[in-house]
Each structure stands twice: as structure tokens, then as C-alpha cells.
Amino acid sequence: MSDPLRKALTLAGLLGAGLAGALAARALGAPLPYLLGSLVVTAALSLTVHARSGQRLWFPEPLRRSFIAVIGLMIGSSFSPDLLDLLPGLWPSLLALVAFIVLAEAVGYGVFRGLGRYDPVTAAYAAMPGGLIEAAILGEKAGGDVETVSLQHFVRIVLVVALVPMIFLVVTGEAVGSAAGEAMTKGSAVWLDWVLYALLAPVGLFIGRVLHVPAGQLVGPLLLSAVLNGTGLLQLAGPASLLNVAQLVVGCGLGVRFARSTPRQLATGAGLGLVAVSLTLCLSAGFAWILVDGSVMPFSALLISFAPGGVTEMSLIALSLGVSPLLVTVHHLFRIIMTVTLAGMAASRAERWLTRR
């Protein structure tokens, strides 16, 4: 069998398995079924295949980036000139995010060092509330266990994505996402919407690369869509079916990343991650409760803004809830930038201290 054919069949199998998981999750009334259902099934499939053959299932990164760009375009389509009036009111919550980052790092470090018995460097970088790639790079440079750091950040993202919709389901009694029948549209979903997204996604990805910003594959398309919608040049509708496909692809792409973890490593990481994420989400809820009276954002949007998940995944939750997706994304980008900046400063100071000794 030729390599291109093998890859095509692997991708088809992954997407088919992910879709089956998504439909099952939807039938069960799970929140974000196309994201969580596909993630769970492909993660299990990836772990099984890797355990038997030692190989990692192939999933094209350009496909994942393309649909992250679609999500960025959808978020940007929620922009209106009225939102500019809200931006000055974000400074209290953005300032509070700095304090949240420090406290979340301390909580995570306590869990990974105290319960997990990780070495200090590995525990410190595993506890970073954001910046998966940056945490792995900085942790490896500092002498930490890069595999453990990477695993804990994957677990953090997956658990936050799973737990936040569950919290809303328990509190409100309504499922988040397509299981609730919500559609992210501003008008009828016609073929022109699909064509526009297909044409604009590559342009947005290019903008993201040029800007060299965190999560550029999301931010570039977001800015492009916001400018087009804000100036009235285009009004992008967000077809619900396209959002479901985007969730499916992102979920499958995230699921295959668990291939290199052994069941024991995964169980340990999941257990420690559950403790750390649960405590951090309590911290997130506390900050949201304190800030809500003086904020331009409702409690639900603040909770999502402080939840330490991935930018793309948390933006998807905000989109599904319809709670200020653009403002939520601003907070998550700020969280990641500040987390990486503070970690970089700490690493630089530690290196200078060790050199002097």
C-alpha cells in the first residue's frame, strides 16, 4: 500500500471514528458533543494502536490549522463597533488575570510536587496555566521531564474542555453546543457562506504567521473577520454544520496526541490533572464572582475567560454559549502571553542565579 493511500485511509478512519463518537455523545445529550465525543474516541483509538504497533496515528496538522482558522473567522464575525465601547471596561479582569496566573501556578505546583512527587522543575512547568508548547520548550531547557510536562498540559486542556460544559449543564440544566440545538448563525446558511470561509481561512492564517502572535492560526482569521464585519464590507454567517465539522476536526486532532502516553502515565497524569484543574476552576469561579459586579461581562463569560483551557477550545465553548466569544478570546490570549512572559522571566532569573553559584 502506498504511503499517500495509507495516510488517506488513516485520516478517513479517524474522522469516521470521531464522527461516530460525536453522534453517540450527541445522542446522550453531552455538551459539545462533536468536540468531546470525537476527542474521547480518537484518544482511545490512538492509545490502542500505539500500544500494539508503537506507531502514532497520522493526522495532518494543516487540516487542524484550517479549521482553527474557521473558528477564528466565526469568533471575529461576532465583532461590532459597539464592542469597542466595552474594551476599556476589561482592564479590571485583565489585571486580575495576572494575580490568577500566579495563584494558579502555586496551586498546580503544590499538586504536582506534593502529590505527584515530580521534581521541582517539572512540577513548575507542568503547573503553568497556559502555553503548552512554550511550557514544554522552557521545561526541557531548564532540565525538566518534557514528556511529563507535555502530558500534564494536554490533560489540563482536555479536562477543562470537559468540565466547563459539564458545570454549565449541572448549573443551568442545558447542554452546551449543538446538543442544545444552538446555531451560530446570523442568517440562513447558504453555499456562499461556505465559499467565503474557504477563501478567507488561508488569508487569515497568513496574517497570523506575519503577526507572530500566540495562537496565530486563530488570531489572524479572527482579526480579518472582525475588520470585515466591523467595517461592513462582509457579514459572515456561521453555519451550525460548519461549526460542528470544526469541532470534529479539532477534537480528532487533539485526541491523537495521546498516543505516546502509557496507560499508567495517563492514569497518573489524569488523576493529578483532575485535582489541579478542579482547584484552578474553583479559583476561576472565585475571581469571576468577585469581578462580576464591576465587569462589562456576565459571570458565565468571566468563568470561561479565567478557565485555563486552550484558546481554541475555550473559544468554541464561548461560541456555543453565545457569551461574548470575542471578549473571552481576548482574555485567553492575554493569559497565555502573561503566563509565558512570567515563566520566561522566572527561568532567566533562575539561570542567572545558578550561573553565579
Side-chain angles (χ1 to χ4, degrees):
M1 183 184 298
S2 64
D3 190 56
L5 179 58
R6 179 184 62 80
K7 288 182 176 180
L9 291 175
T10 299
L11 177 60
L14 278 172
L15 293 176
L19 179 59
L23 294 176
R26 183 175 182 176
L28 293 172
L32 287 176
Y34 285 89
L35 178 67
L36 296 180
S38 61
L39 191 159
V40 170
V41 170
T42 53
L45 183 61
S46 185
L47 283 167
T48 302
V49 170
H50 187 266
R52 291 180 177 178
S53 65
Q55 295 181 346
R56 183 174 178 176
L57 290 173
W58 179 78
F59 193 89
E61 184 61 24
L63 178 64
R64 179 176 173 272
R65 284 199 301 266
S66 297
F67 279 95
I68 290 177
V70 167
I71 295 167
L73 290 171
M74 287 186 171
I75 295 170
S77 69
S78 67
F79 177 81
S80 69
D82 295 337
L83 281 176
L84 291 175
D85 297 331
L86 299 179
L87 293 180
L90 296 183
W91 71 264
S93 53
L94 291 177
L95 188 61
L97 263 174
V98 179
F100 169 81
I101 290 167
V102 175
L103 290 174
E105 171 71 24
V107 167
Y109 180 84
V111 171
F112 296 129
R113 181 74 177 133
L115 295 180
R117 303 298 180 186
Y118 292 169
D119 65 85
V121 174
T122 300
Y125 288 99
M128 282 173 57
L132 185 155
I133 296 173
E134 293 81 2
I137 293 172
L138 290 171
E140 184 176 27
K141 184 179 178 182
D145 185 340
V146 66
E147 291 291 337
T148 299
V149 171
S150 299
L151 174 61
Q152 287 301 161
H153 279 280
F154 283 134
V155 168
R156 168 180 60 83
I157 291 172
V158 171
L159 286 176
V160 172
V161 170
L163 290 176
V164 170
M166 292 295 181
I167 291 171
F168 280 96
L169 177 62
V170 171
V171 173
T172 67
E174 297 179 358
V176 177
S178 55
E182 296 186 21
M184 308 322 307
T185 60
K186 292 184 177 180
S188 59
V190 295
W191 65 270
L192 182 59
D193 297 328
W194 292 78
V195 173
L196 286 174
Y197 274 89
L199 293 174
L200 292 175
V203 179
L205 287 171
F206 174 76
I207 293 173
R209 285 196 298 270
V210 170
L211 293 178
H212 296 291
V213 293
Q217 66 269 34
L218 180 80
V219 176
L222 187 157
L223 292 176
L224 174 63
S225 179
V227 169
L228 292 175
N229 282 272
T231 57
L233 292 176
L234 278 177
Q235 290 297 316
L236 290 173
S241 53
L242 181 57
L243 179 60
N244 291 339
V245 173
Q247 292 183 51
L248 174 67
V249 172
V250 171
C252 290
L254 191 58
V256 297
R257 295 189 177 195
F258 283 95
R260 295 177 182 175
S261 305
T262 65
R264 183 173 182 177
Q265 287 174 326
L266 192 58
T268 301
L272 292 172
L274 182 60
V275 176
V277 166
S278 297
L279 292 174
T280 307
L281 284 178
C282 290
L283 197 61
S284 303
F287 271 85
W289 180 75
I290 292 171
L291 292 166
V292 67
D293 287 339
S295 176
V296 296
M297 300 168 66
F299 177 84
S300 56
L302 284 169
L303 177 60
I304 298 172
S305 296
F306 277 80
V311 179
T312 302
E313 293 79 17
M314 300 313 296
S315 299
L316 270 173
I317 293 175
L319 268 175
S320 297
L321 284 171
V323 288
S324 312
L326 195 60
L327 300 184
V328 168
T329 303
V330 168
H331 282 78
H332 280 287
L333 289 172
F334 182 79
R335 171 179 58 83
I336 290 175
I337 291 171
M338 289 304 302
T339 298
V340 173
T341 299
L342 293 173
M345 291 170 59
S348 178
R349 290 187 177 184
E351 187 175 350
R352 288 200 299 269
W353 181 76
L354 289 172
T355 303
R356 288 172 183 172
R357 290 190 66 189

